[in-house]
Every structure is written in structure tokens, then in C-alpha cells.
Amino acid sequence: ARALAGRRGAALDKALARLPAAAQYNAILEGTIYGARQGASLAEPLALVEEMTRAGVAVAPSAARALLDLADVSDLEGTARVLACLGRNEAGQAFGEAAGDLGSLPP
């Protein structure tokens, strides 16, 4: 989005305006995740997820997967931050729900 800030055209503005807020947020989130893959900080996508959570906007499954894929498994603190951030969002709450559905294990 920063690269387009000075060069953004009417077509992009018009296309974004037609999208619902959730789609706009998730499109920008996926862009910030792409930027983080290119060496940008993980802080920007996490801050956007926090903003989405405050606004009541669910993170799209594709964006949640991309954010989890971005977390470096050798960096446990970073991975924990990503999981905690997603867990506060309504979409991320599904990560813990399946465990409650499990019955008892067979003998």
C-alpha cells in the first residue's frame, strides 16, 4: 500500500470502495504478509489483525494460513505472538474448538 500511496489511481480506489470492509481488510492484510515475506517486520500484519479484531472483522482463512506460514518455527516467541494475535480474532478462535469436540479415546 505504501508503494501505491502517491500513485494510486481512481480504478483502484473504485474497486476497493466496492468491497465490503472485511474484504478490504483481508486484501491489505495479505499484502502486508507478502511484505513481511520480503523482509518487512511481522509487526505490521499483527497490528492490522489487532485492528481487525477491535473492529469485529474476521481474518480470512487464507490470510490466517499465510500468517501462520510466515511465523518462523525456530522463533517460538514470534510464533506464539502470531497464534495469540489470531486467537483473539473471531476467525482464530476456531483453532481451539475442535479439541472440545473430541470424545474419549478408545481403550
Side-chain angles (χ1 to χ4, degrees), residues 10-11 18-19 23 29 37 39 41 44 49 54 57 61 63 67 72 75 87 93 103 105 107:
R18 282 195 298 257
L19 294 174
L29 176 58
R37 283 193 186 122
S41 170
E44 188 174 5
V49 170
R54 286 189 303 275
V57 175
L67 193 53
D72 183 354
D75 176 15
Q93 293 172 6
L105 293 174

Side-chain angles (χ1 to χ4, degrees), residues 1-2 10 12 18 22 30 35 38 40 46 48 55 79-80 86 88 92 94 97:
R2 257 184 246 133
L12 178 61
R18 282 195 298 257
E30 291 202 27
Q38 306 306 311
L46 292 180
L48 188 54
T79 301
L86 285 172
R88 287 187 290 275
E97 289 178 8

Side-chain angles (χ1 to χ4, degrees), residues 26-80:
N26 279 293
I28 299 302
L29 176 58
E30 291 202 27
T32 62
I33 292 168
Y34 175 80
R37 283 193 186 122
Q38 306 306 311
S41 170
L42 186 61
E44 188 174 5
L46 292 180
L48 188 54
V49 170
E50 292 291 354
E51 182 176 319
M52 291 170 73
T53 300
R54 286 189 303 275
V57 175
V59 172
S62 59
R65 283 191 301 273
L67 193 53
L68 284 169
D69 287 346
L70 182 63
D72 183 354
V73 294
S74 67
D75 176 15
L76 293 179
E77 185 178 306
T79 301

Side-chain angles (χ1 to χ4, degrees), residues 1 3-13 16:
L4 293 175
R7 300 182 284 146
R8 215 165 67 179
L12 178 61
D13 287 337
L16 281 173

Side-chain angles (χ1 to χ4, degrees), residues 81-97:
R81 281 195 338 254
V82 168
L83 288 170
C85 188
L86 285 172
R88 287 187 290 275
N89 186 274
E90 66 180 78
Q93 293 172 6
F95 291 121
E97 289 178 8

